[in-house]
Amino acid sequence: MIELHDLTKRYGKTLAVDRLSFQVPQGVVTGFLGPNGAGKSTTMRMILDLDRPTNGRVTIDGRRYGQLSEPLKYIGALLEAKSVHPGRTARDHLLWLAQSNRIPTRRVDEVLALVGLTPVARKRARGFSLGMGQRLGIASALLGDPEIVMFDEPVNGLDPEGILWIRNLMKRLATEGRTVFVSSHLMSEMAVTADHLVVIGRGRLLADLPMPEFIRRNSRSAVRMRTPHPERLLDALAGAGIRPEPGPGGSYEVVDGDLARLGDLAAAHGVVLHELSPQQASLEEAFLQMTADSVEYHAGDGPGRDAAGAPGVWGAGWTADGTRQSAAARQEEN
Amino acid sequence: MTSFPAILRSEWTKIRSVRSTVWTLALTFVVTVGIGALLSLLTNNNFTEFRRSDQSPFDATGTSFSGIMLGELAIIVFGVLAIGNEYSTGMIRVTLAAVPQRGTLLTGKATVLGAMALVVSVVTAFVTFFLGQALLGSHATGLGEPHVLRAVFGAALYLTLLCLFSAGVTTMLHNQTLALGVLVPFFFLLSPILSAVPKVKTLAHYFPDYAGSRMLLVYEQHGQPYGPWTGFVICLAWTLAALVGGALVLKSRDA
């Protein structure tokens, strides 16, 4: 198990990682999510003892990485694609890696077959595509048959086939009882692969919870209603015991509302509707909302996000300790 | 701890599986032997002309090693590439994740690198010597003459130490291009020029290449600050300092 205690990394004046504490649960896929520049890669490098923490510590099965003898047998990692000498063959790359940790040579050919690189095993890495480079990186991560595997943005730049392959691989590794810790800046990617979710922004922990819990909290739906006669609509709704929330552009939204029933209700009261539409908050939006305060550079302000329908984000704003920001606070942000 | 023999095997695989490192070693041999042979042949054919104004005794050993100035560049590049390509490709992170004991890792690297350089250098030195002497004809010397055997082994040690020195400097700079840009001009231009400039040369005489090249001399030279063994010790000290410096940087720095 990977455990982080108050892990902190400072580069000059910037805090890349800020008192990060969490555990990566065993035997499941844990998604490590955060916007670009949130400190995911730095955290992963500190786990491998490549970067030294300014403060705090990381342990793997209770020990520091540097204390592991033959660490590839405990934890295999894919950091960046193409950390391979272009003039070396795929097989030789895996061979030196295997020899350094006394892993039998037979295993080199096994992992080559596993990632589908056997046909190009004796080709120099120079000619490899991004996808092949990624597969080679994954082969080296699996070389020591480790209990824990760690992938940093493994699907970046891959074609759909490659993405699907990595998704299935991660799921398979978890069903084999391995711990999979994978970083991404895409919620949509994590939603389909991760069982557990750790979200960070600006180096700080924003959420640490099981994926189903995250979905349950963040995937409520609503019905949006727009009318030239708001008073009459509000009266009609109040008469039925429904309390709408104000939506964008003078519309109203009924959380968990039933489309047909609300349409009937408006008709029964003779209220003219200009819009009656179902709204689904995507997990992506929930994630954006959660990390909105912590992204380094906004791509522009409010209007762009509103146009994309961002106001329909409900239940976002979960903080690290699981408490919920008040609706009023969120309203102010908007 | 990761086993040291395992590190040696792994580093050996790394070096032999890349063409550039193998080629620079081959080039060390070809250049040193080739230029030495050419100069020996020319000297033999034009002996009286070449020696007309020279009062000092003729150094047949030194003549056969005329190519070492260029040969050393090739082995310096070998030392730089063997370490530097880890940094230029980002492979250093993969290496350190596999072997997190950084001091042991560098020791293993230097051992493999040094052993390869030594084997190639010894072969190069003896082939250079025997071929050169064969081409020098009647002016040739033999291994049995005073100091000659020491000078031939000296040439091999000189090349090996410069290679390890460069490896150490590359680890300190952790950048292949920068290391080449510093080391090649230093050994090819700066050091030879400075050691000929009055006053500055007193300092330049303690540079690793000047010190190390004293090991090749068979005859005492006028104005020479120290002998071959002191030269060896100075060159060795530079090499160890560079490697220790490299280890300190490697251990303290984020990869």
Side-chain angles (χ1 to χ4, degrees):
Chain A
M1 180 159 60
I2 308 176
E3 289 173 88
L4 286 73
H5 309 270
D6 277 335
L7 198 66
T8 303
K9 181 71 182 182
R10 182 184 286 280
Y11 294 109
K13 278 186 177 174
T14 39
L15 262 179
V17 175
D18 188 2
R19 285 165 294 152
L20 207 52
S21 298
F22 64 87
Q23 298 180 349
V24 180
Q26 260 168 311
V28 297
V29 179
T30 296
F32 188 33
L33 198 61
N36 287 328
K40 302 185 298 290
S41 297
T42 307
T43 303
M44 287 186 153
R45 284 201 303 272
M46 285 195 284
I47 292 174
L48 297 177
D49 201 25
L50 294 173
D51 285 11
R52 271 58 190 275
T54 313
N55 245 313
R57 65 201 155 89
V58 188
T59 54
I60 292 126
D61 296 338
R63 284 185 290 170
R64 271 194 43 239
Y65 191 84
Q67 294 168 329
L68 299 173
S69 85
E70 300 172 348
L72 299 183
K73 294 174 181 172
Y74 290 86
I75 173 168
L78 165 77
L79 291 187
E80 354 169 24
K82 287 234 168 183
S83 294
V84 179
H85 192 294
R88 193 174 278 127
T89 68
R91 193 175 183 282
D92 281 337
H93 177 73
L94 294 172
L95 184 62
W96 73 255
L97 209 49
Q99 286 169 339
S100 71
N101 277 236
R102 291 192 296 185
I103 296 162
T105 310
R106 154 176 54 82
R107 181 71 187 154
V108 169
D109 299 310
E110 276 175 27
V111 291
L112 278 167
L114 187 69
V115 302
L117 286 182
T118 310
V120 293
R122 289 174 199 279
K123 291 250 160 52
R124 295 182 193 271
R126 181 174 292 118
F128 282 17
S129 66
L130 187 65
M132 286 156 87
Q134 207 76 326
R135 281 167 190 254
L136 182 55
I138 286 170
S140 46
L142 300 177
L143 196 57
D145 199 11
E147 277 302 295
I148 307 171
V149 288
M150 192 162 86
F151 299 143
D152 191 7
E153 303 267 5
V155 302
N156 256 13
L158 291 189
D159 54 14
E161 193 199 356
I163 293 174
L164 194 63
W165 181 78
I166 288 191
R167 273 184 205 160
N168 291 334
L169 175 80
M170 291 194 293
K171 285 180 183 164
R172 197 171 74 229
L173 291 170
T175 40
E176 288 167 8
R178 290 177 223 265
T179 301
V180 181
F181 187 48
V182 53
S183 78
S184 178
H185 62 279
L186 296 174
M187 182 69 223
S188 52
E189 189 52 42
M190 290 298 95
V192 291
T193 39
D195 307 301
H196 192 90
L197 202 60
V198 172
V199 184
I200 66 167
R202 282 206 187 155
R204 289 198 188 160
L205 189 66
L206 297 177
D208 176 5
L209 75 180
M211 195 71 205
E213 180 75 6
F214 182 85
I215 292 173
R216 195 181 61 74
R217 288 181 188 177
N218 291 293
S219 60
R220 292 159 73 200
S221 62
V223 173
R224 178 177 297 169
M225 306 174 86
R226 200 188 300 270
T227 172
H229 313 294
E231 299 82 11
R232 290 174 59 190
L233 176 66
L234 287 175
D235 285 348
L237 290 173
I242 297 166
R243 295 179 57 188
E245 291 177 358
S251 70
Y252 294 93
E253 292 179 348
V254 179
V255 174
D256 287 333
D258 182 79
L259 204 63
R261 190 180 158 231
L262 290 167
D264 292 348
L265 191 70
H269 288 80
V271 180
V272 175
L273 289 183
H274 288 174
E275 180 182 356
L276 179 68
S277 64
Q279 301 289 316
Q280 193 79 39
S282 72
L283 295 173
E284 198 69 48
E285 285 164 355
F287 165 62
L288 279 175
Q289 180 80 4
M290 182 182 280
T291 56
D293 305 334
S294 59
V295 282
E296 232 172 326
Y297 305 103
H298 287 279
D301 281 311
R305 291 231 311 279
D306 278 347
V313 179
W314 303 283
W318 291 91
T319 54
D321 51 4
T323 55
R324 204 173 166 186
Q325 281 177 281
S326 71
R330 273 183 289 130
Q331 214 84 84
E332 255 170 58
E333 277 168 29
N334 291 339
Chain B
M1 289 295 111
T2 311
S3 112
F4 192 64
I7 296 176
L8 294 183
R9 278 190 74 194
S10 150
E11 290 300 327
W12 161 244
T13 302
K14 268 189 203 169
I15 288 190
R16 68 160 179 78
S17 61
V18 170
R19 279 190 195 137
S20 54
T21 48
V22 177
W23 273 106
T24 46
L25 274 185
L27 204 62
T28 306
F29 177 85
V30 171
V31 166
T32 312
V33 172
I35 297 182
L38 192 67
L39 264 288
S40 299
L41 189 66
L42 283 173
T43 306
N44 191 30
N45 290 344
N46 309 283
F47 195 76
T48 42
E49 205 180 319
F50 276 19
R51 302 283 304 162
R52 195 173 292 152
S53 58
D54 206 337
Q55 299 304 307
S56 56
F58 174 64
D59 184 355
T61 316
T63 305
S64 58
F65 281 110
S66 303
I68 207 159
M69 270 291 287
L70 279 172
E72 77 183 44
L73 279 187
I75 210 160
I76 284 166
V77 172
F78 168 69
V80 171
L81 291 187
I83 299 277
N85 67 31
E86 294 245 3
Y87 293 97
S88 63
T89 58
M91 213 175 72
I92 186 72
R93 295 196 187 92
V94 181
T95 298
L96 291 177
V99 184
Q101 296 80 22
R102 300 186 181 189
T104 319
L105 174 77
L106 188 61
T107 311
K109 269 188 180 303
T111 306
V112 172
L113 203 60
M116 279 186 88
L118 186 64
V119 169
V120 171
S121 299
V122 168
V123 173
T124 303
F126 277 92
V127 172
T128 304
F129 178 78
F130 285 120
L131 187 61
Q133 299 316 311
L135 295 171
L136 275 170
S138 57
H139 309 291
T141 184
L143 277 183
E145 299 298 316
H147 308 306
V148 171
L149 187 62
R150 187 259 298 143
V152 177
F153 272 114
L157 274 179
Y158 172 70
L159 290 175
T160 309
L161 289 179
L162 284 195
C163 170
L164 285 173
F165 174 77
S166 311
V169 170
T170 309
T171 317
M172 276 198 272
L173 298 174
H174 47 80
N175 182 321
Q176 177 168 288
T177 320
L178 182 64
L180 282 177
V182 167
L183 288 168
V184 172
F186 177 81
F187 283 118
F188 197 60
L189 293 172
L190 202 63
S191 179
I193 291 172
L194 289 187
S195 58
V197 175
K199 286 188 182 154
V200 186
K201 72 178 178 191
T202 335
L203 176 70
H205 284 171
Y206 291 90
F207 286 168
D209 54 336
Y210 184 90
S213 63
R214 297 309 92 189
M215 292 187 276
L216 277 84
L217 295 180
V218 172
Y219 299 105
E220 292 272 325
Q221 272 186 350
H222 183 68
Q224 191 179 303
Y226 46 77
W229 294 108
T230 312
F232 168 70
V233 171
I234 292 172
C235 189
L236 182 69
W238 275 103
T239 304
L240 291 177
L243 287 172
V244 169
L248 291 177
V249 171
L250 184 64
K251 284 174 88 122
S252 62
R253 204 175 155 274
D254 285 347

